[in-house]
Amino acid sequence: MSDTKVYLLDGGTLVIDGFHAFWNRGPGGELRFPCYAVLIEHADGLYIFDTGYDHAHVMDVLPFEKPLQTPEQTIPGALAKIGKKPSDINYVINSHYHFDHCGGNKYLTEACTVCHSKELEACECFQPFEALGYSDLSFDSDLEAKRDAKAGKTPAEPPLDIYTPKYETVTGDQEIAKGLWLFETPGHTAGHYSLMVELANRRPMLFTADACYSQKNMDLMCISSFHLDPVASLQSMVKLKEIAEKHDAEMFYSHDPDSFGSYLQAPGFYS
Ligand code: 5PN
Ligand code: ZN
Ligand code: ZN
């Protein structure tokens, strides 16, 4: 049996203001940051943790985030670079359903979708200030249609590749496959998960997802501004530090312009 491999799939960049990246602290001004997906080649199958944003969606709904994404930075493009195709993926794990983490789900038509049960509920019932975050429900055309009907809107066109995702919802901290650990890190959203991957030849990789955007957020214990519950978010950052310490894990942040260049990107991999 071959060792687990982890590939980081670059998904392009977005711009937010410094006061959004560092809540109530700044400094203000445009900050361009990376988005990426994590592909895990595991004995049980191919997993993807988060799927980045959809360029057309951002241009349509949040053009002020100035998306830069080449064809190679889409999920099909990034997979092609390592000789794989979207239908090869067996499981998609979503840390949460903000548009910059689920935009590529719609390509993964054969995959079983794994997420926190509270996060799936949140997509149907979110706070008014979370509407932009949860604006891309293209990964589930039924969900999208329900939301549009509630808002009295004509239902959005379903994606060309129509499929109904199969879900396996999860709660609590748990090992979902050998060496793949989901840790609840609520606050940013109601059902947010971070992922730890144990590997044969190096320290475990702890993907914080949006529980912590960057090393600087962690150093300052400063959250970003798109959070449901700031107090819970800070507790989740403390929890991530404790997990990293306990397992001697290395943290990989979701949107870190300074660290991302030092991460090994596909076609390179960690094992
Ligand atoms: C990158 C980004 N921009 C806006 C929002 C939002 O309103 O909720 C989450 C989020 C983002 O991750
Ligand atoms: Zn988010
Ligand atoms: Zn994000």
Side-chain angles (χ1 to χ4, degrees), residues 231-269:
V231 176
S233 294
L234 279 168
Q235 285 167 352
S236 288
M237 284 168 79
V238 171
K239 177 172 174 174
L240 283 168
K241 281 189 189 176
E242 288 169 355
I243 293 166
E245 186 150 338
K246 178 172 172 196
H247 299 275
D248 186 33
E250 181 180 354
M251 284 201 249
F252 289 79
Y253 302 98
S254 58
H255 300 301
D256 192 334
D258 299 322
S259 305
F260 191 65
S262 70
Y263 298 166
L264 179 61
Q265 288 167 42
F269 58 85

Side-chain angles (χ1 to χ4, degrees), residues 199-213:
L199 295 171
N201 305 302
R202 55 157 286 129
R203 300 165 66 195
M205 301 173 82
L206 178 53
F207 295 98
T208 62
D210 282 357
C212 188
Y213 273 26

Side-chain angles (χ1 to χ4, degrees), residues 140-150 153 155-156:
D140 184 334
S141 47
D142 289 347
L143 253 182
E144 196 174 34
K146 263 196 235 170
R147 179 198 55 191
D148 291 347
K150 226 195 250 178
K153 276 202 302 193

Side-chain angles (χ1 to χ4, degrees), residues 95-101 133 188-189 192 210 213 224 226 255:
S95 62
H96 65 302
Y97 282 114
H98 282 165
F99 69 90
D100 55 323
H101 295 259
H188 181 71
T189 60
H192 190 280
D210 282 357
Y213 273 26
S224 65
F226 313 110
H255 300 301

Side-chain angles (χ1 to χ4, degrees), residues 106 136-149 155-165 167:
K106 56 180 162 282
D136 186 356
L137 300 185
S138 63
F139 60 91
D140 184 334
S141 47
D142 289 347
L143 253 182
E144 196 174 34
K146 263 196 235 170
R147 179 198 55 191
D148 291 347
E157 283 290 318
L160 289 177
D161 244 340
I162 301 170
Y163 78 107
T164 305
Y167 293 99

Side-chain angles (χ1 to χ4, degrees), residues 71-101:
E72 285 201 327
Q73 291 170 325
T74 63
I75 287 293
L79 287 175
K81 261 173 64 170
I82 50 172
K84 302 195 190 302
K85 48 188 193 303
S87 58
D88 294 336
I89 304 300
N90 304 109
Y91 298 95
V92 50
I93 308 168
N94 287 113
S95 62
H96 65 302
Y97 282 114
H98 282 165
F99 69 90
D100 55 323
H101 295 259

